[in-house]
Amino acid sequence: MTSRKKSGARSKQKQTPPATSKPDTSSSSGSTPFDLEPPPPNHSLESPPIPSAIDVLPRLRRLTEMLRRGDSVGEVLVATAEELRESASCPLATVVLQDPKTGPTVAAWHTHEAKRYDALRHATKKALSSQTESTGSIARLLAGDVSEIDGAIEEELAEHRASTATQAGLTHVYAFPVEADGAVVGVVELFSEVEGPIPSDLVQAVELVRTQLDLSASRDRARAAVAGAARHVRHLTEQLEPTTERLQEFEERYALLCRGARPGLWDWDLRQDRVYYSGRWKTLLGYGPQEVGDEPSEWFDRIHPDDSDRVELELLEHLDWQSQRFESEHRIMHRDGTYRCVVARGVAMHDQASKAYRIAGSMTDVTDLRSRDDRTMRDLMYHRLTALPSYPVLLDRIDLAMRRRARRPDRAFGVVALSLDGLKEISERVGGEATDELLLAISRRVANVIRPGDTLAHVDDLDFGLLLDEVQSLEDAEEVAERVARSLSEPIPLGAESATLTPALGVSLCRASYETPEDLLRDATIALRRARRNEVAVQVFDTATKAYAQSIAELEGDLTQAFESRSLFLEYQPVVSLGDGRITGVEAFIRWKHPDRGMIPPNEFLPVAEEAGLLEELGYWITEQACRQMSEWVDRLSLRFPPNIAVNVAETQLFAEDFVPRMIESIETSGLDFKHVRLDVSENTFMKDGPAAGRVLR
């Protein structure tokens, strides 16, 4: 059982409850100004399946928007409990509101199995109404005795509630209060069927949600307070003559708060550009009270170079009203030369001209928490072999570059999608160990020719991506891509032999029209596909490429429909012996007559079919139809020596795992003798992997 000591209240935005949850009763509560100090990192329940940090991010974005639109504390808590329940994969979440007049009441009961928890629900209502909950988790949280509950059911809940919860199969409870101006206005409980703490990926998510709830509650209470404030202004002005004793009391209280706070506090006077750092703030970095001045550089000059731009951007966004709260996790240098991982939070005050003149907050050391998850996070964020940033990291860095460009339009940047034709075939031929060696060689070559500050990412097993930071034009980005292409075109030593690959790169340049990092990568990938089709190393995404992509997309949709409706057809070309004029064979060719565009050549629609994933199925359909037609001719004309029927086999079809059984099935279905069927394979297929092609055909 873990019952943590009470810490200061935190603040966040409001939220509108989702329509999927129907609380028992509706309730609202006000709130007043709040302490900036956040509580220590907490732990949440472990419940299968364990969500990852990436799984939780979309819920946090949605929750933040709901908190911003929420109308009351009751609505915010009801919606938040349901989001937390789903994020933590808990079977049950409850909300209890503290009403100053009527006392605590159950405001919401979130579960997909309402009947299963009926007994617990009634026990909770009865406990609250009869005050038998005085020793249970809800009473302790409402009284402010603890800042959160994280433990076994039988240890934390009052006797009758614990009994009914255990009978329903629940084993663990995690609960926390929501405060406004130091007063608890509600409690959220999450129940689990699995014992143990919250998964580490969710610790920061719950911490963020609790902070948002405190802000929402404070803002709700502040609205009620402002309504009556005007009536008392004159009276307070006349009466407000603080004595020396009261002033000294306030000063002592503030000094005690700074000395006793677990996080380090800071208070930045933006007009004077001076920062007050508490003793705890200095201690976190290994310094004594007199060893740190009051300059902002005492903080920002110690931030890790890779994090400094992001922290500055997050701070400026809050000062410019673009975020409700400044919150930044970053690395900062300790006195011993190592970097500590900290979370800084703060709220700014603005004057009548909406200009920020003060910002204050806290800094918490989360190094130990992060070190426990280093291996998991590294596997998530970096490729296991090359240690290059993964796809999510590349997206995050593109997003940061887009946000920088929104503030400074002169800072353009480019995105490159990189693929290597022949890499898959070589990988299948040489095996895993040699493939790893090849991938490492590729990453080293690219890293040697890109510029300092550019980001090379390993976005898929065999594909890479590039963020070209601060390029001045599309031509500059294209020049870097050409340099990469040249380096990868050279043979790569691989044991006793060498591998020759064909690079294809697509380049897109950030413009104001782009809204998400995915948009930039999408256009870079479109340009890459056109580079392959045009058999060039580098293709930029321009107006012509965009129009071409739209045309291909339309053609792909029409081709899919044509294949499904079987409106494609075959034409046959005889093979004639020049010696005696006898027909010795027939070749089958697929044709497509588009309803609007007329006859479309195969060299235009077959590459589209390959991209749409239709080429293999199309190949088996052609074989079956051609063999069926030849079988009909043999029967109708009573041919004693039928000619051969020839069908083309695409490279992707030939190297598919199920090629042999699928091809046999297509021929058998037609009824034609196998000896009259000829499979035509292109020279390019044999040049890429002749031995493998030979084995399949034999």
Side-chain angles (χ1 to χ4, degrees):
M1 177 178 69
T2 304
S3 298
R4 299 181 179 87
K5 294 181 180 180
K6 185 177 180 182
S7 61
R10 296 153 302 165
S11 60
K12 270 292 179 180
Q13 306 175 32
K14 291 188 176 180
Q15 165 182 333
T16 300
T20 56
S21 180
K22 296 183 179 179
D24 288 341
T25 59
S26 297
S27 178
S28 63
S29 177
S31 90
T32 51
F34 50 89
D35 185 353
L36 288 174
E37 176 196 354
N42 56 353
H43 304 279
S44 73
L45 295 171
E46 181 181 354
S47 179
I50 299 176
S52 69
I54 295 177
D55 293 329
V56 174
L57 283 176
R59 293 187 179 279
L60 288 182
R61 294 193 187 101
R62 183 167 66 253
L63 184 58
T64 300
E65 180 63 18
M66 295 167 71
L67 284 168
R68 184 180 67 81
R69 298 197 307 263
D71 293 329
S72 70
V73 175
E75 291 181 350
V76 167
L77 282 181
V78 168
T80 301
E82 176 60 5
E83 287 293 330
L84 287 178
R85 185 189 71 78
E86 293 189 5
S87 296
S89 298
C90 292
L92 175 65
T94 69
V95 175
V96 174
L97 288 180
Q98 174 76 298
D99 190 286
K101 297 179 181 179
T102 62
T105 58
V106 177
W109 197 268
H110 293 290
T111 179
H112 293 305
E113 302 176 85
K115 188 174 181 180
R116 176 181 173 184
Y117 305 108
D118 263 352
L120 176 59
R121 183 176 188 173
H122 293 308
T124 302
K125 289 186 176 181
K126 183 177 180 180
L128 294 177
S129 61
S130 60
Q131 297 186 344
T132 59
E133 172 68 10
S134 58
T135 61
S137 57
I138 296 177
R140 285 183 289 155
L141 291 168
L142 290 175
D145 295 339
V146 292
S147 65
E148 63 187 42
I149 297 292
D150 188 1
I153 292 289
E154 60 271 16
E155 296 177 352
E156 298 292 356
L157 268 60
E159 181 177 354
H160 188 48
R161 289 190 76 215
S163 174
T164 54
T166 303
Q167 290 174 7
L170 302 174
T171 60
H172 203 92
V173 60
Y174 174 79
F176 63 88
V178 177
E179 298 182 354
D181 196 28
V184 177
V185 296
V187 168
V188 176
E189 290 181 302
L190 297 173
F191 291 89
S192 174
E193 299 169 321
V194 180
E195 297 182 357
I198 294 177
S200 55
D201 282 348
L202 289 174
V203 170
Q204 289 303 307
V206 175
E207 177 76 10
L208 175 61
V209 170
R210 291 183 61 179
T211 303
Q212 291 178 320
L213 286 172
D214 287 347
L215 174 58
S216 182
S218 298
R219 186 168 57 192
D220 188 55
R221 179 169 289 186
R223 286 198 186 105
V226 168
R231 297 193 301 269
H232 302 286
V233 170
R234 182 170 298 177
H235 175 72
L236 291 177
T237 302
E238 296 172 353
Q239 298 296 323
L240 191 58
E241 295 177 0
T243 63
T244 304
E245 291 80 6
R246 289 187 65 193
L247 182 59
Q248 183 178 357
E249 180 185 347
F250 291 146
E251 290 175 349
E252 290 174 351
R253 184 180 301 170
Y254 182 70
L256 286 172
L257 175 65
C258 292
R259 288 200 299 269
R262 212 175 85 109
L265 302 181
W266 51 271
D267 186 348
W268 190 349
D269 185 339
L270 297 172
R271 290 171 175 168
Q272 301 295 325
D273 202 25
R274 290 289 182 267
V275 186
Y276 164 76
Y277 302 103
S278 71
R280 177 61 177 164
W281 192 98
K282 300 170 186 176
T283 303
L284 288 177
L285 300 183
Y287 293 97
Q290 307 303 321
E291 295 183 283
V292 176
D294 60 358
E295 300 285 339
S297 57
E298 297 282 6
W299 178 0
F300 286 87
D301 285 356
R302 291 184 171 92
I303 296 177
H304 194 285
D306 291 346
D307 297 343
S308 59
D309 283 352
R310 174 175 55 81
V311 178
E312 179 183 353
L313 181 64
E314 289 166 342
L315 178 63
L316 290 174
E317 286 179 341
H318 175 62
L319 296 179
D320 290 347
W321 293 94
Q322 296 180 38
S323 64
Q324 293 293 323
R325 179 184 177 90
F326 166 63
E327 182 160 354
S328 175
E329 182 172 331
H330 54 272
R331 292 162 290 177
I332 189 168
M333 183 177 287
H334 192 272
R335 186 174 189 170
D336 62 10
T338 64
Y339 280 97
R340 308 291 292 176
C341 187
V342 299
V343 175
R345 300 179 177 89
V347 175
M349 301 183 70
H350 298 76
D351 57 23
Q352 293 181 347
S354 295
K355 183 177 180 180
Y357 65 89
R358 193 181 204 92
I359 179 171
S362 64
M363 186 172 75
T364 306
D365 189 333
V366 295
T367 305
D368 293 340
L369 177 65
R370 290 293 175 265
S371 63
R372 290 197 296 267
D373 301 324
D374 274 352
R375 180 171 297 179
T376 302
M377 291 304 293
R378 184 167 185 83
D379 291 345
L380 233 137
M381 310 308 278
Y382 297 93
H383 192 270
R384 56 160 185 83
L385 173 68
T386 60
L388 293 174
S390 64
Y391 179 74
V393 177
L394 180 62
L395 285 180
D396 184 67
R397 294 189 182 178
I398 295 174
D399 180 64
L400 181 61
M402 293 177 73
R403 290 160 61 189
R404 281 202 307 262
R405 189 179 184 278
R407 298 186 62 84
R408 292 182 54 186
D410 58 308
R411 296 183 69 168
F413 66 92
V415 173
V416 178
L418 166 62
S419 184
L420 294 152
D421 289 344
L423 182 56
K424 181 179 179 181
E425 291 76 11
I426 293 175
S427 172
E428 292 174 349
R429 178 166 55 87
V430 301
E433 187 174 339
T435 299
D436 289 349
E437 181 184 339
L438 183 58
L439 288 171
L440 287 169
I442 291 169
S443 62
R444 284 193 294 266
R445 282 201 179 183
V446 177
N448 287 336
V449 297
I450 60 178
R451 307 163 308 161
D454 293 342
T455 298
L456 170 63
H458 202 151
V459 299
D460 199 356
D461 286 343
L462 304 177
D463 295 318
F464 297 83
L466 283 166
L467 169 61
L468 307 180
D469 199 21
E470 295 196 28
V471 292
Q472 299 303 314
S473 65
L474 193 57
E475 288 73 18
D476 291 342
E478 188 177 6
E479 181 181 341
V480 177
E482 293 280 5
R483 196 159 61 238
V484 171
R486 286 194 297 271
S487 72
L488 294 175
S489 298
E490 297 293 327
I492 300 176
L494 194 62
E497 52 181 313
S498 62
T500 301
L501 303 169
T502 304
L505 295 89
V507 183
S508 62
L509 191 69
C510 183
R511 301 182 181 87
S513 58
Y514 286 113
E515 296 182 356
T516 67
E518 289 86 353
D519 294 340
L520 269 163
L521 278 172
R522 177 204 62 209
D523 287 352
T525 304
I526 290 173
L528 182 150
R529 290 174 181 170
R530 194 178 184 195
R532 280 176 168 170
R533 193 161 289 138
N534 293 341
E535 297 183 352
V536 297
V538 178
Q539 175 69 54
V540 300
F541 186 84
D542 50 19
T543 305
T545 304
K546 183 177 181 180
Y548 175 78
Q550 291 173 343
S551 174
I552 291 297
E554 293 174 2
L555 192 64
E556 182 177 313
D558 292 344
L559 179 59
T560 302
Q561 185 177 0
F563 179 64
E564 292 174 351
S565 63
R566 295 295 188 259
S567 59
L568 301 168
F569 63 96
L570 300 181
E571 286 187 344
Y572 300 91
Q573 175 175 287
V575 178
V576 180
S577 170
L578 295 180
D580 56 12
R582 186 172 59 88
I583 296 177
T584 60
V586 176
E587 294 186 38
F589 299 98
I590 189 169
R591 296 291 183 260
W592 179 23
K593 187 174 183 180
H594 192 277
D596 299 322
R597 300 168 61 174
M599 294 297 296
I600 299 179
N603 63 343
E604 287 189 18
F605 70 80
L606 287 180
V608 175
E610 183 174 5
E611 288 189 12
L614 295 174
L615 194 58
E616 289 182 34
E617 291 299 324
L618 204 57
Y620 299 125
W621 178 80
I622 292 171
T623 301
E624 182 180 340
Q625 295 299 311
C627 293
R628 190 185 301 276
Q629 181 63 70
M630 179 55 72
S631 181
E632 291 179 3
W633 284 334
V634 170
D635 292 341
R636 189 193 319 163
L637 302 176
S638 300
L639 299 176
R640 292 180 58 194
F641 304 102
N644 294 327
I645 181 72
V647 292
N648 291 305
V649 177
E651 176 187 329
T652 55
Q653 184 184 6
L654 181 67
F655 292 124
E657 291 183 0
D658 60 349
F659 170 73
V660 173
R662 289 292 304 277
M663 183 59 72
I664 290 174
E665 180 185 2
S666 298
I667 299 173
E668 284 182 337
T669 302
S670 70
L672 187 65
D673 194 316
F674 278 78
K675 64 183 179 181
H676 298 305
V677 181
R678 192 182 76 196
L679 305 181
D680 285 353
V681 180
S682 69
E683 296 87 344
N684 288 337
T685 300
F686 276 97
M687 289 176 65
K688 285 194 174 182
D689 198 341
R695 285 194 299 271
V696 173
L697 292 175
R698 277 194 298 272

